[in-house]
């Protein structure tokens, strides 16, 4: 049986995050920080719907001003690109370590050439 998931909007108030569930009018709560959002809204929803707190899912949407949302999207895209480049760089380093070892360089010398520790060279060689 599929579990119903409710979308929760967390908007910053003066001192608290104000939590609403647009799909369920009258159900709202507040939280001091984002870590408290899920437990607080689960309590409010379970009381409002008269169900167990773990009988449904919640999907929290943090409401931010549009400038901050745009920057958040840019940061997420940059993180994905950085992770891709890191994987690509590691693959290229592995290939270079293999070639340098096949040419007779020691792992100590390879670590000097690459500017990484000998332990990292061992990881790349594995």
């Amino acid at each position: 049986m599929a579990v119903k998931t409710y979308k929760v909007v967390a908007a910053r108030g003066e001192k608290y995050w104000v939590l609403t569930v647009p799909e369920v009018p009258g159900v709202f709560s507040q939280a001091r920080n984002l870590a408290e959002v899920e437990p607080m809204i689960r309590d409010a929803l379970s009381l409002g719907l008269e169900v167990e707190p773990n009988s449904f899912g919640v999907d929290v949407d943090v409401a931010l001003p549009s400038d901050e949302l745009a920057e958040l999207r840019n940061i997420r895209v940059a993180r994905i690109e950085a992770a891709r480049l890191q994987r690509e760089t590691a693959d290229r380093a592995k290939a270079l370590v293999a070639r340098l070892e096949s040419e007779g360089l020691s792992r100590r010398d390879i670590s000097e050439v690459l500017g990484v520790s000998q332990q990292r060279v061992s990881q790349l060689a594995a």
Side-chain angles (χ1 to χ4, degrees), residues 97 101 107 110-111 116-126:
V97 166
E101 277 191 323
R107 288 191 177 173
I110 294 170
S111 74
V116 299
S117 69
Q118 291 180 47
Q119 292 84 356
R120 181 63 181 141
V121 171
S122 293
Q123 290 171 341
L124 292 168

Side-chain angles (χ1 to χ4, degrees), residues 1-6 23 51-52 54-58:
M1 185 170 148
V3 175
K4 171 71 175 161
T5 298
Y6 294 94
E23 189 178 345
V51 297
E52 292 295 317
N54 293 326
S55 65
F56 53 85
V58 294

Side-chain angles (χ1 to χ4, degrees), residues 47-116:
L47 289 171
L49 299 172
E50 298 180 352
V51 297
E52 292 295 317
N54 293 326
S55 65
F56 53 85
V58 294
D59 180 23
V60 179
D61 181 22
V62 178
L64 295 173
S66 61
D67 290 349
E68 282 80 4
L69 279 176
E71 185 62 13
L72 180 59
R73 278 191 222 86
N74 291 339
I75 289 168
R76 287 179 177 162
V77 167
R79 282 182 177 154
I80 291 168
E81 178 65 9
R84 185 191 65 75
L85 288 170
Q86 189 173 15
R87 286 188 305 273
E88 180 182 308
T89 301
D91 290 344
R92 292 171 66 187
K94 286 177 189 179
L96 181 57
V97 166
R99 287 196 312 267
L100 292 173
E101 277 191 323
S102 73
E103 292 176 11
L105 272 73
S106 69
R107 288 191 177 173
R108 172 176 273 160
D109 287 344
I110 294 170
S111 74
E112 289 293 324
V113 169
L114 289 178
V116 299

